[in-house]
């Protein structure tokens, strides 16, 4: 199975909602049920993608902080700067995936 995707999940959620609405309007219960299922699956994929992105952000924050501290202690400004940048990247990724 491929990695969860927010865009694919949102697309499936929207399409599922449209199918459900059309099925309800025209009395096509089977179509409405399939639409509900597709919508639910799409919402689950969005949540899974957000969880994965948040976890990746946490990893970047931890590794970035470690690199920044090691760089500061050893006087390696390049490592310190790279660590700070990775930590910041991790924070942004976490914010984006809340």
């Amino acid at each position: 199975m491929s990695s969860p995707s927010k865009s694919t999940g949102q697309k499936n959620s929207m399409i599922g909602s449209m199918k459900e609405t059309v099925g309800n309007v025209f009395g096509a219960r089977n179509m409405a049920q399939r639409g509900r299922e597709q919508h639910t699956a799409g919402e689950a994929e969005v949540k899974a993608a957000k969880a994965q992105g948040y976890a990746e952000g946490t990893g970047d924050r931890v590794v970035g902080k470690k690199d920044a501290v090691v760089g500061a202690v050893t006087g390696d400004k390049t490592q310190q700067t790279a660590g700070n940048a990775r930590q910041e990247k991790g924070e942004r990724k976490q914010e984006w995936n809340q």
Side-chain angles (χ1 to χ4, degrees):
M1 184 177 149
S2 62
S3 295
S5 164
K6 284 193 275 187
S7 60
T8 301
Q10 289 168 342
K11 178 190 78 166
N12 281 322
S13 176
M14 182 184 70
I15 291 171
S17 291
M18 288 188 301
K19 283 181 182 177
E20 182 178 8
T21 300
V22 169
N24 287 333
V25 166
F26 292 104
R29 288 185 295 208
N30 191 25
M31 177 185 248
Q33 177 60 34
R34 285 194 320 263
R36 265 191 301 282
E37 291 168 0
Q38 187 173 2
H39 170 78
T40 301
E43 290 297 310
E45 184 172 2
V46 169
K47 287 179 183 179
K50 283 184 173 187
Q52 180 181 12
Y54 192 88
E56 290 170 359
T58 300
D60 283 340
R61 283 185 73 180
V62 169
V63 171
K65 183 68 171 179
K66 184 245 340 154
D67 287 347
V69 169
V70 169
V73 168
T74 61
D76 185 344
K77 295 293 183 191
T78 302
Q79 183 178 12
Q80 184 179 3
T81 301
N84 287 333
R86 185 162 183 186
Q87 183 178 1
E88 179 71 21
K89 174 185 168 190
E91 290 169 3
R92 294 303 138 254
K93 194 176 256 189
Q94 283 181 318
E95 289 172 4
W96 180 256
N97 288 291
Q98 286 186 359

